[in-house]
């Protein structure tokens, strides 16, 4: 079963209060929130490799990430 983008988005909307209400302890909640916050700053190519896309290794992921980044920058510069 594959996770949808909505599933991943939910992770970033979690709060310590929600985790505590779901039965996680204070230390577990704090550790999970810290890990989620750290994941926000990871490089796109690392995320692409971690997704386990068939035939997408580190070199291809880096190239794809660079292409996505430049496309976004160009789009913003053009007002798209």
């Amino acid at each position: 079963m594959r996770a949808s983008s909505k599933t991943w988005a939910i992770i970033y909307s979690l709060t310590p209060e929600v985790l505590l209400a779901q039965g996680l302890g204070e230390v577990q909640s704090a550790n999970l929130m810290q890990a989620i916050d750290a994941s926000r700053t990871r490089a796109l190519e690392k995320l692409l490799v971690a997704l386990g896309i068939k035939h997408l290794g580190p070199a291809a992921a880096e190239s794809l990430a660079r292409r996505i980044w430049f496309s976004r920058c160009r789009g913003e510069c053009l007002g798209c």
Side-chain angles (χ1 to χ4, degrees), residues 65-80:
R66 198 173 324 119
R67 186 177 188 105
I68 290 169
W69 176 256
F70 287 130
S71 294
R72 284 185 70 192
C73 289
R74 214 175 50 203
E76 290 172 6
C77 294
L78 297 175
C80 297

Side-chain angles (χ1 to χ4, degrees), residues 16 18-30 32:
V18 170
L19 296 174
L20 290 170
Q22 292 297 318
L24 265 68
E26 288 184 33
V27 173
Q28 290 174 318
S29 295
L32 183 55

Side-chain angles (χ1 to χ4, degrees), residues 51-65:
L51 290 174
I53 300 169
K54 191 174 185 176
H55 304 298
L56 186 71
E62 185 176 339
S63 177
L64 181 59

Side-chain angles (χ1 to χ4, degrees), residues 7-36:
T7 305
W8 294 110
I10 290 170
I11 292 172
Y12 290 104
S13 67
L14 289 174
T15 63
E17 294 79 20
V18 170
L19 296 174
L20 290 170
Q22 292 297 318
L24 265 68
E26 288 184 33
V27 173
Q28 290 174 318
S29 295
N31 289 343
L32 183 55
M33 291 305 300
Q34 188 175 24
I36 291 169

Side-chain angles (χ1 to χ4, degrees), residues 41-52:
T41 60
R42 290 201 181 102
L44 177 58
E45 59 267 18
K46 297 223 183 260
L47 170 66
L48 293 172
V49 171
L51 290 174

